[in-house]
Amino acid sequence: MERQRIAIVSSLAALVFFFCIPCHVLRIEAVREHRTVFVRIIRPNDTFATTYIHSVELSPVREYFRIDADFRIVLYETRFSSCNTGLPTSLAEEEILDIEGDHLRISHMNRVVPVIDLWVDARYDNTLQMGEETGISLPPLAGDTLLRVTVESIPLFTFVCLKTGLYL
């Protein structure tokens, strides 16, 4: 009888944990379809980068982001090979512009970015790289469409459902 009671209480505690305990995730959603195409648990100081070919300049752009202590996305560096249409042309107070070989680099950035909207197209070679991992090509995840990158606090249960595709 006592073992059965312990098993029931333990099971209930596990269910409460699973359904109520929040986790912070980096989530990529196909905006038009309202469909999650990528989700991953994140922690403060995690980093990721996006790479793409700029649609007007047709030059590569790489943006580096980190997750701060408040679980916000912070742009801390950008690399690009042209500074014309749609690419950075001015610096904030503490930012530094360096010329490194065939590209420009803005460092010491500290720009909080609430969301990242990326127009993804196979022609633009859009990739996402989490930390030091191999980059993920974004067009195969959702096709040529608008993707939105956010950081969210969601229940662990929701994360598991999104990760396994049980519901989108």
Side-chain angles (χ1 to χ4, degrees), residues 76-105:
Y76 68 88
E77 184 174 310
T78 300
R79 294 175 185 249
F80 50 96
S81 58
S82 172
C83 59
N84 292 317
T85 307
L87 292 168
T89 56
S90 62
L91 301 175
E93 200 169 299
E94 295 184 14
E95 296 176 351
I96 298 172
L97 175 64
D98 292 313
I99 299 172
E100 298 179 346
D102 64 348
H103 67 274
L104 302 143
R105 178 174 74 105

Side-chain angles (χ1 to χ4, degrees), residues 15-76:
L15 283 173
V16 167
F17 177 81
F18 190 61
F19 283 98
C20 297
I21 298 299
C23 61
H24 287 88
V25 298
L26 182 80
R27 182 176 183 172
I28 301 178
E29 179 184 30
V31 174
R32 291 178 176 170
E33 301 169 17
H34 303 288
R35 181 173 61 90
T36 298
V37 298
F38 178 88
V39 64
R40 168 178 253 173
I41 292 177
I42 55 165
R43 291 171 183 76
N45 297 316
D46 281 356
T47 61
F48 66 96
T50 58
T51 306
Y52 57 92
I53 303 298
H54 190 274
S55 62
V56 175
E57 290 299 311
L58 300 178
S59 61
V61 177
R62 186 162 179 91
E63 297 177 312
Y64 296 86
F65 302 90
R66 75 174 178 284
I67 306 302
D68 73 5
D70 295 322
F71 290 96
R72 299 178 302 177
I73 301 171
V74 179
L75 174 64
Y76 68 88

